[in-house]
Amino acid sequence: MPELPEVEVVRRGVERWVVGRMVESVQVFDARSLRRHTAGVLDFQERLAGLTVDSAQRRGKFLWLPLRDGAEAEPARSLLVHLGMSGQLLVASEDQPAPRHERIRLGLSPSASETGEPLPEQARFVDQRIFGGMLLDPLVPSTDGHGLVPEHAAHIARDPLDPLFDVAAFHAALRRRRTGLKRALLDQGLISGIGNIYADEALWAARLHWAAPTETMTAPRTRELVAACQEVMRRALDAGGTSFDSLYVNVNGESGYFARSLNAYGREGLPCPRCEAAGEDGVIVREKFANRSSYRCSRCQKRPRRFRP
DNA sequence: TATCGGGCCTGTAGGC
DNA sequence: TGCCTACAGGCCCGAT
């Protein structure tokens, strides 16, 4: 499932393979992947073709490619990409067979690597469940005054790996909320990039229960939680992301290995690794949370007296 | 205004 | 074998 580390892996791939190249053609195989581009498929195709990819940017799980028209000094719009829960952005050569669930294909201008090898001519957006999508979006000033962001991503908070992420501001916002910790971690307007998997992993690392009330957090506990988020995501990034199946791959179609390093998520009934190492008997339990699952250790992530499910 | 829950989607697994 | 149901989950929007 693409969360921040997976999207960052894809961003790096796009930076290496796609930046600096012109979009020469746009094929749309499934209009549902352009659901958020309200002007429609034709508008998307006509306006995107002929623009050059200036860079590859990311905030949380949103990835965007600022686009430059030949005569422009600065990009004024971007191709905003969200992978949803099954989206992939693959680079491929024309002779490679079309993958199943390919929704959008971009033909790229010819280019060569440093060694003179020709680069793949296509970028393919593949999305089995169509929760993700693309849109052409104007770039607007970020609400914190630093840089430009696509209009549709302007409401997204900075993520914990962003050098400009403000822990004190996050703590203050957390204290103002009247909800449970996990719900807050999944709120992309509060802190971005965290999905169900890394929320469980970060809460496990910080020994916090998912339903602990946000208003009970102290500043040191918030710092510990943010540090846990950063640590979990950095390790996932080093491993190339989390792959449970073929739903997440990098731009070259390769899977990541972080799933092997998960401590809580998906480990129902197994011993808690931390408790096991200490000779204790904690077990990972699975609980219903907002129509999905939450995993925690029965012993070191005890249910708080006050509880906000 | 803040919070919550349902809908969007498809493939897979499991039960019958 | 084939049908049905539950489940996975990020984001958006309407309801409370």
Side-chain angles (χ1 to χ4, degrees):
Chain A
M1 313 296 169
E3 297 185 29
L4 186 156
E6 291 74 30
V7 180
E8 175 59 19
V9 169
V10 172
R11 190 200 67 78
R12 291 176 184 181
V14 170
E15 192 165 58
R16 178 175 172 194
W17 298 98
V18 180
V19 166
R21 303 175 73 181
M22 181 191 286
V23 178
E24 293 190 327
S25 63
V26 182
Q27 288 175 274
V28 178
F29 305 119
D30 195 321
R32 291 174 297 179
S33 291
L34 292 178
R35 197 185 301 123
R36 296 181 186 93
H37 187 84
T38 50
V41 173
L42 267 181
D43 178 86
F44 180 82
Q45 291 174 304
E46 288 173 0
R47 286 174 53 208
L48 179 54
L51 299 177
T52 299
V53 178
D54 193 70
S55 61
Q57 310 282 333
R58 181 190 58 74
R59 182 179 287 190
K61 301 170 206 169
F62 284 80
L63 170 70
W64 69 89
L65 316 183
L67 300 163
R68 189 193 298 266
D69 201 335
E72 285 177 344
E74 293 297 329
R77 90 289 293 158
S78 66
L79 177 62
L80 181 58
V81 183
H82 199 291
L83 300 178
M85 62 180 292
S86 57
Q88 304 171 1
L89 199 53
L90 307 170
V91 290
S93 299
E94 285 169 351
D95 54 1
Q96 285 180 261
R100 206 174 169 198
H101 309 303
E102 182 180 5
R103 311 296 184 187
I104 297 170
R105 178 181 294 181
L106 308 181
L108 303 170
S109 59
S111 186
S113 69
E114 289 172 0
T115 59
E117 294 284 310
L119 294 180
E121 309 88 352
Q122 295 178 353
R124 297 169 171 180
F125 181 69
V126 179
D127 189 5
Q128 180 196 98
R129 295 177 196 172
I130 322 182
F131 275 36
M134 289 182 166
L135 74 149
L136 269 179
D137 207 21
L139 289 167
V140 298
S142 176
T143 51
D144 59 12
H146 296 281
L148 299 173
V149 291
E151 199 169 38
H152 283 77
H155 65 293
I156 300 298
R158 289 191 182 271
D159 60 67
L161 297 188
D162 188 324
L164 295 178
F165 180 79
D166 186 338
V167 182
F170 171 63
H171 175 66
L174 205 55
R175 294 273 305 185
R176 282 195 298 272
R177 291 292 171 101
R178 292 292 178 270
T179 189
L181 266 187
K182 182 163 176 179
R183 229 178 251 286
L185 287 180
L186 296 179
D187 184 343
Q188 305 297 301
L190 195 61
I191 182 171
S192 69
I194 301 170
N196 204 37
I197 299 171
Y198 295 121
D200 281 359
E201 290 300 305
L203 288 167
W204 179 86
R207 300 171 190 250
L208 287 163
H209 191 287
W210 56 270
T214 48
E215 68 269 27
T216 63
M217 288 292 278
T218 61
R221 291 299 274 149
T222 300
R223 284 197 294 272
E224 284 174 27
L225 178 58
V226 171
C229 292
Q230 292 167 332
E231 167 66 14
V232 165
M233 293 202 281
R234 284 205 185 99
R235 284 197 295 121
L237 203 46
D238 289 344
T242 304
S243 302
F244 294 103
D245 47 37
S246 60
L247 282 186
Y248 162 69
V249 292
N250 66 14
V251 294
N252 304 114
E254 297 153 346
S255 294
Y257 294 97
F258 190 65
R260 299 172 189 179
S261 310
L262 295 175
N263 290 303
Y265 185 87
R267 292 175 49 85
E268 182 183 17
L270 296 171
C272 162
R274 182 168 48 216
C275 290
E276 192 175 35
E280 303 287 354
D281 60 354
V283 173
I284 301 297
V285 293
R286 176 184 170 194
E287 291 159 325
K288 272 276 186 189
F289 160 78
N291 283 333
R292 54 202 59 173
S293 295
S294 211
Y295 297 85
R296 69 173 175 94
C297 171
S298 60
R299 185 183 162 276
C300 55
Q301 290 171 275
K302 285 244 183 295
R303 182 186 163 117
R305 271 172 301 182
R306 288 168 65 192
F307 189 72
R308 288 190 187 274

